[in-house]
Amino acid sequence: EVEDNPDKDTQDTEDELSKALVTVFKELNKPKELSKESIKLLKSIDSKISKAIDSINKTPKVRELQRATTGKTYTEVDFNREITGQNLNKLKLILKIKRALILAGVPGTGKTTIMRALASVLTGNTNSKYVEFISFNQHTSYSDFVSGLTSVEGVWLKTFGALSRVCKAAIDDPDNNYYLLIDELSRGNTEAIFGELMTAIEQRGIPIVTNNGDTLIVPKNLYIIATMNITDKSTSRLDVATADRFGYIEVEPQTRSILERPEFKDVEYKGELESILELIDKINEEIRKDSRLGEQFEVGPRSLFSNISNKEEFKLAIEYDLLPSIDRRIRNMTNKNSVKSYIEKIREIINGWNC
């Protein structure tokens, strides 16, 4: 540790710095050399700073994040049966060529599920040591992704971010492929987070000196899969330099895929469910045609896929999740009349369910 009592040390340093600066400024206004008191205080502060730097350099401890799981285990057969609207071989081919892939779409289209399922197929292990996961947000920094200094219980440690950790693992194990999963890529300031590593991601195997003075190599056996919400206002931060280094797959809403789930193939309300899904398709068609909205405001069917197993749960999901989501999307719509009529028809159907 830098000091036995970090809080006291910080306060003492601040007090000494304050006193020293006052003395220095007073002395600078006088046509003479600094007093012995000023020199003594400055040397004391310099000594404390040196001790802190030495402690950091001698403590290369990495604060490890828990390695993420890919969730449910998927075989190729599982993927092709449960992930609709996506061609597994096409995804694998694009990832092989670019080594970096973006799954982009509106909320609720299953982008994260597809990303985790793809990683599961490629690694064959739901708790794979070959997978590193990070979710970007507006506070994600270069330190979180690459490396930097972090205060842990009053001690400054040099920590390595998700990219650095998975790069090291991949370099140490060249016979296996490794995967970095980035959820909500566009929510972070990618230009600042990736920094100078854009070159390293495109030109694999070339040593790059990071902002922190470390040398980092992005190896050829590391593959990056990311999701991107195209309705997120922060999406504009995804600069051209970042986008050009990724393969791009658009994930469209697969509303009717719910009918292919085994538990809903023979339910007594399947006809009513088909009518609701048809109305959702019509709502999305109106949204796509609207000059103020467009396809980026389409409604994803996520609310209908989350742990639902009976009619009562469907009704609650539609009433308290799906319909409010549609209302939020059409607030600025040029002509809401047609969409509102479709919404009323959906309400008529679920209100007729006795549950």
Side-chain angles (χ1 to χ4, degrees), residues 322-341:
L322 179 66
L323 296 184
S325 178
I326 295 173
D327 286 335
R328 288 193 295 271
R329 283 168 164 75
I330 65 171
R331 285 173 184 170
N332 297 320
M333 197 170 188
T334 305
N335 185 359
K336 303 178 185 178
N337 293 333
S338 57
V339 172
K340 285 186 175 181
S341 68

Side-chain angles (χ1 to χ4, degrees), residues 295-311:
E295 62 182 12
Q296 67 269 27
F297 282 89
E298 285 185 74
V299 180
R302 175 171 53 195
S303 59
L304 303 181
F305 284 81
S306 303
N307 302 316
I308 294 176
S309 59
N310 56 54
K311 184 188 290 187

Side-chain angles (χ1 to χ4, degrees), residues 94-147:
I94 294 174
L95 191 58
K96 179 181 178 181
I97 295 171
K98 295 289 289 186
R99 291 194 174 91
L101 173 67
I102 289 177
L103 301 169
V106 299
T109 50
K111 300 181 295 297
T112 302
T113 298
I114 296 170
M115 176 177 68
R116 290 183 179 275
L118 179 59
S120 179
V121 170
L122 294 170
T123 61
N125 190 335
T126 185
N127 294 309
S128 178
K129 69 176 183 178
Y130 306 114
V131 178
E132 184 80 40
F133 178 91
I134 183 172
S135 183
F136 279 9
N137 58 60
Q138 59 184 345
H139 301 297
T140 301
S141 66
Y142 185 88
S143 296
D144 298 320
F145 193 59
V146 185
S147 65

Side-chain angles (χ1 to χ4, degrees), residues 244-354:
D244 284 349
R245 285 161 172 82
F246 285 79
Y248 188 93
I249 292 289
E250 186 167 344
V251 181
E252 299 179 352
Q254 300 295 317
T255 310
R256 292 181 173 273
S257 61
I258 193 171
L259 297 174
E260 300 175 14
R261 290 168 57 177
E263 61 266 39
F264 297 116
K265 283 189 175 180
D266 299 315
V267 293
E268 75 277 5
Y269 54 94
K270 185 175 180 180
E272 296 163 323
L273 185 56
E274 288 179 336
S275 296
I276 291 173
L277 297 178
E278 183 179 345
L279 288 166
I280 294 173
D281 286 340
K282 290 181 177 180
I283 289 172
N284 279 335
E285 184 179 353
E286 293 297 326
I287 289 175
R288 284 194 298 271
K289 293 189 300 184
D290 190 84
S291 60
R292 293 182 181 176
L293 300 182
E295 62 182 12
Q296 67 269 27
F297 282 89
E298 285 185 74
V299 180
R302 175 171 53 195
S303 59
L304 303 181
F305 284 81
S306 303
N307 302 316
I308 294 176
S309 59
N310 56 54
K311 184 188 290 187
E312 181 180 7
E313 292 173 354
F314 258 120
K315 181 177 181 179
L316 291 174
I318 293 171
E319 187 171 4
Y320 295 104
D321 192 347
L322 179 66
L323 296 184
S325 178
I326 295 173
D327 286 335
R328 288 193 295 271
R329 283 168 164 75
I330 65 171
R331 285 173 184 170
N332 297 320
M333 197 170 188
T334 305
N335 185 359
K336 303 178 185 178
N337 293 333
S338 57
V339 172
K340 285 186 175 181
S341 68
Y342 295 142
I343 291 175
E344 286 307 311
K345 290 180 181 179
I346 292 175
R347 290 191 187 280
E348 289 175 8
I349 294 174
I350 63 175
N351 288 337
W353 288 352
N354 296 319

Side-chain angles (χ1 to χ4, degrees), residues 11-194:
Q11 185 61 48
D12 290 345
T13 302
E14 290 178 352
D15 292 342
E16 291 179 7
L17 180 61
S18 178
K19 292 178 182 178
L21 290 175
V22 171
T23 305
V24 167
F25 283 125
K26 286 182 178 179
E27 293 298 327
L28 287 175
N29 288 327
K30 299 178 182 180
K32 63 179 182 179
E33 296 182 356
L34 293 176
S35 68
K36 292 182 179 181
E37 181 183 359
S38 300
I39 295 173
K40 182 179 179 181
L41 286 171
L42 289 175
K43 285 183 176 180
S44 173
I45 294 171
D46 181 68
S47 175
K48 289 181 178 291
I49 293 174
S50 297
K51 284 176 66 180
I53 293 174
D54 289 341
S55 176
I56 292 169
N57 289 334
K58 292 176 182 178
T59 315
K61 178 181 178 183
V62 178
R63 185 179 62 172
E64 292 285 354
L65 298 178
Q66 182 179 359
R67 189 171 293 280
T69 67
T70 58
K72 175 184 175 181
T73 301
Y74 283 82
T75 63
E76 290 195 6
V77 173
D78 295 330
F79 189 101
N80 290 326
R81 182 180 65 246
E82 299 180 26
I83 305 298
T84 58
Q86 296 299 324
N87 184 299
L88 177 59
N89 290 331
K90 179 181 178 181
L91 294 175
K92 291 166 67 175
L93 182 60
I94 294 174
L95 191 58
K96 179 181 178 181
I97 295 171
K98 295 289 289 186
R99 291 194 174 91
L101 173 67
I102 289 177
L103 301 169
V106 299
T109 50
K111 300 181 295 297
T112 302
T113 298
I114 296 170
M115 176 177 68
R116 290 183 179 275
L118 179 59
S120 179
V121 170
L122 294 170
T123 61
N125 190 335
T126 185
N127 294 309
S128 178
K129 69 176 183 178
Y130 306 114
V131 178
E132 184 80 40
F133 178 91
I134 183 172
S135 183
F136 279 9
N137 58 60
Q138 59 184 345
H139 301 297
T140 301
S141 66
Y142 185 88
S143 296
D144 298 320
F145 193 59
V146 185
S147 65
L149 299 180
T150 304
S151 178
V152 181
E153 297 179 355
V155 179
W156 284 97
L157 300 178
K158 185 174 186 177
T159 61
F160 295 91
L163 178 63
S164 295
R165 290 196 301 272
V166 74
C167 282
K168 183 180 185 305
I171 290 171
D172 292 343
D173 184 16
D175 294 331
N176 288 296
N177 292 331
Y178 283 73
Y179 300 88
L180 174 62
L181 309 185
I182 306 174
D183 202 24
E184 301 286 2
L185 174 70
S186 57
R187 293 196 65 201
N189 186 340
T190 54
E191 194 170 4
I193 295 170
F194 281 86

